[in-house]
């Protein structure tokens, strides 16, 4: 897919927050790209460039930062080192001069690469180990207006993703995607068989569990963090083995599968239109 190729071209590793060494390697890689682009003193540009490479634990940590830190690479870089290494920038992490690039005939500065795409239009593919759980997400304006998995790509909805704004919107309709409890008495508390749906923001269901989305990684994984009833957790997606069946988001996936064994675990992936 186009966006996967675009991101891989930058030769910057995805930063998951798993180790101090990974944090230092990530900072070095971003600094190298900034120098190659002639943007080493543009902290706002570097911060925006670095954002799509945050993933998993590091992405959740980033989301909790204040906006000033998120938009200034000098502050963001120091925050990464403080959080994931317990230290401050070292000479090996923060180069003092851009490396010279020498050809056989002259010195030159490479052209600046375009920043990663932060807004895209495309479909959301639903994947599963069970072939019967695969398809595309459709959120049509119906009586329920909740997300279903359809087998035919022509039936899929088109979405607009804003990676920096962390929103998914139904293309051409101006309505955001949210996750809501399936009914007013359904809670996010563990130990229950309660569940929610991906739905249009205007849909009348239970309480809202999430209105923010992340698109990350080589597979453009679509994820969401749920928060309600005093609990916060990552969304899990379950697919019923039937065409045009609702996509369920359980409060407790183990409890839900114990009660309803006709579901299979699914993952969501954003497929940009070329």
């Amino acid at each position: 897919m186009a966006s996967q190729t675009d991101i891989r071209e930058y030769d910057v590793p995805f930063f998951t927050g798993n180790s101090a060494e990974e944090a230092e390697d990530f900072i070095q890689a971003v600094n190298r790209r900034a120098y190659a682009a002639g943007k080493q003193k543009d902290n706002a540009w570097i911060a925006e460039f670095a954002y799509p490479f945050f993933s998993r634990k590091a992405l959740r940590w980033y989301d909790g930062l204040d906006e000033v830190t998120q938009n200034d690479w000098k502050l963001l870089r120091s925050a990464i080192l403080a959080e994931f290494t317990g230290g401050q920038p070292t000479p090996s992490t923060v180069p003092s001069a851009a490396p010279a690039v020498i050809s056989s005939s002259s010195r030159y500065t490479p052209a600046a690469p375009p920043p990663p795409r932060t807004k895209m239009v495309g479909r959301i593919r639903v994947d599963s180990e069970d072939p019967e759980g695969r398809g595309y997400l459709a959120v049509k304006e119906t009586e329920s207006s909740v997300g279903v998995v359809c087998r035919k790509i022509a039936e899929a909805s088109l979405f607009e993703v804003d990676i920096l704004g962390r929103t998914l919107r139904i293309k051409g309709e101006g309505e955001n995607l949210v996750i809501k409890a399936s009914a007013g008495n359904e809670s996010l508390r563990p130990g229950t068989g309660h569940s929610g749906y991906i739905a249009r923001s205007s849909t009348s269901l239970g309480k809202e569990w999430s209105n923010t989305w992340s698109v990350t990684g080589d597979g453009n994984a679509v994820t969401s963090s749920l928060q309600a009833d005093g609990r916060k957790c990552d969304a899990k997606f379950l697919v019923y083995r039937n065409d045009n069946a609702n996509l369920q988001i359980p409060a407790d996936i183990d409890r839900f599968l114990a009660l309803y064994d006709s579901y299979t675990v699914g993952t969501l992936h954003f497929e940009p239109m070329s």
Side-chain angles (χ1 to χ4, degrees):
M1 293 180 286
S3 63
Q4 294 178 32
T5 303
D6 292 345
I7 290 178
R8 281 199 295 266
E9 285 177 352
Y10 293 112
D11 193 28
V12 174
F14 285 97
F15 177 44
T16 64
N18 282 336
S19 68
E21 182 179 5
E22 184 199 31
E24 292 171 351
D25 289 345
F26 171 67
I27 290 174
Q28 287 180 321
V30 172
N31 284 337
R32 284 196 299 269
R33 293 306 304 172
Y35 278 119
K39 296 285 189 177
Q40 63 268 27
K41 295 189 180 296
D42 190 340
N43 285 310
W45 185 94
I46 303 172
E48 182 176 358
F49 171 82
Y51 169 73
F53 299 99
F54 284 85
S55 181
R56 301 182 186 276
K57 180 172 70 174
L59 178 62
R60 295 191 292 273
W61 168 81
Y62 174 94
D63 189 53
L65 296 174
D66 61 87
E67 192 170 332
V68 173
T69 302
Q70 290 178 343
N71 294 331
D72 187 319
W73 176 241
K74 184 176 180 180
L75 297 176
L76 180 57
R77 180 185 65 209
S78 296
I80 292 171
L81 290 171
E83 176 69 19
F84 297 101
T85 72
Q88 296 298 321
T90 63
S92 64
T93 307
V94 186
S96 59
V101 181
I102 304 174
S103 70
S104 58
S105 58
S106 62
R107 298 174 182 268
Y108 69 95
T109 301
R117 297 164 66 182
T118 60
K119 293 185 179 181
M120 298 179 287
V121 174
R123 302 177 182 87
I124 295 178
R125 176 173 52 84
V126 181
D127 198 8
S128 171
E129 291 184 0
D130 188 333
E132 293 185 11
R134 300 170 188 168
Y136 285 86
L137 181 64
V139 190
K140 305 299 184 181
E141 190 169 11
T142 61
E143 183 177 350
S144 62
S145 295
V146 299
V148 300
V149 181
C150 57
R151 301 288 183 261
K152 298 177 181 178
I153 192 171
E155 298 175 357
S157 298
L158 287 179
F159 303 98
E160 299 170 332
V161 59
D162 182 342
I163 293 177
L164 297 180
R166 300 190 66 200
T167 60
L168 273 170
R169 180 170 295 185
I170 300 171
K171 186 179 186 307
E173 299 184 27
E175 190 162 6
N176 287 355
L177 282 191
V178 299
I179 296 177
K180 289 187 176 183
S182 58
N185 62 345
E186 301 279 278
S187 76
L188 191 57
R189 288 190 294 271
T192 70
H194 297 169
S195 66
Y197 295 131
I198 294 176
R200 292 166 175 257
S201 54
S202 62
T203 303
S204 297
L205 291 169
K207 68 181 65 176
E208 186 172 282
W209 286 356
S210 178
N211 58 16
T212 59
W213 301 86
S214 298
V215 178
T216 59
D218 286 344
N220 277 348
V222 178
T223 59
S224 184
S225 181
L226 310 180
Q227 187 168 3
D229 304 304
R231 183 181 180 220
K232 186 174 183 179
C233 61
D234 292 336
K236 306 294 183 183
F237 304 102
L238 294 177
V239 187
Y240 190 73
R241 298 179 177 91
N242 187 23
D243 194 18
N244 290 314
N246 295 336
L247 191 68
Q248 300 270 2
I249 298 90
D252 185 326
I253 188 169
D254 293 330
R255 176 62 176 162
F256 190 93
L257 289 174
L259 293 172
Y260 311 103
D261 60 2
S262 295
Y263 286 84
T264 180
V265 177
T267 55
L268 308 186
H269 305 269
F270 195 84
E271 290 190 346
M273 299 180 68
S274 57

